Amino acid sequence: MPTASGHTTAIRATRAVGTDVYNLDGKKIGKVEDIILDKTDSSIMFAVVGFGGFLGMGEKYHALPWATLDYNQEQEGYVVPFTRDELEAGPADTITELTKDDGMHARQEAYSYYKVDPYWH
């Protein structure tokens, strides 16, 4: 279904991965590294956003509820409604740890920390 600007609301995951992510101040904080799907109920559990590193060193990976990423056409990236401090204080781990045990722990932490209503209730 097209949006008012004529773009579709659907996007392939392969196109979303690698898209820049910006904070409320319009500053690039990182990019979408992966998208974790709940294969049993057809929902997106969370996006894995990597930020805080330099040249691939020291990067942290954060599970952000998908509903918090708002695509901005002018920036050609996603904007999240959080300050840099909120993001830096948020739960972070390796991608392997975030997806361990089907990502359930990371999902719970992310939705709780960012105060997003769980889609699974």
Side-chain angles (χ1 to χ4, degrees):
M1 170 175 279
T3 64
S5 63
H7 289 79
T8 63
T9 56
I11 186 170
R12 291 175 54 190
T14 55
R15 291 202 55 210
V17 171
T19 301
D20 292 334
V21 178
Y22 299 87
N23 67 10
L24 286 173
D25 299 326
K27 294 185 177 150
K28 180 181 168 188
I29 58 165
K31 65 180 180 175
V32 175
E33 298 288 344
D34 213 336
I35 298 171
I36 310 306
L37 307 172
D38 186 330
K39 63 185 176 186
T40 61
D41 82 357
S42 304
S43 299
I44 298 174
M45 292 175 66
F46 54 85
V48 176
V49 177
F51 62 87
F54 180 71
L55 299 176
M57 304 281 292
E59 187 168 42
K60 292 183 179 180
Y61 298 98
H62 297 253
L64 296 180
W66 184 253
T68 65
L69 281 79
D70 185 28
Y71 189 77
N72 181 299
Q73 288 180 298
E74 292 175 11
Q75 290 179 290
E76 296 183 354
Y78 293 101
V79 177
V80 293
F82 309 113
T83 65
R84 180 183 180 99
D85 289 341
E86 288 173 318
L87 290 165
E88 287 180 351
D93 216 321
T94 65
I95 292 177
T96 301
E97 286 299 312
L98 290 176
T99 57
K100 186 168 90 177
D101 298 324
D102 288 337
M104 294 301 191
H105 179 72
R107 179 185 76 170
Q108 187 64 39
E109 267 193 316
Y111 280 76
S112 177
Y113 176 80
Y114 294 108
K115 296 176 178 64
V116 174
D117 290 333
Y119 66 86
W120 60 92
H121 287 157

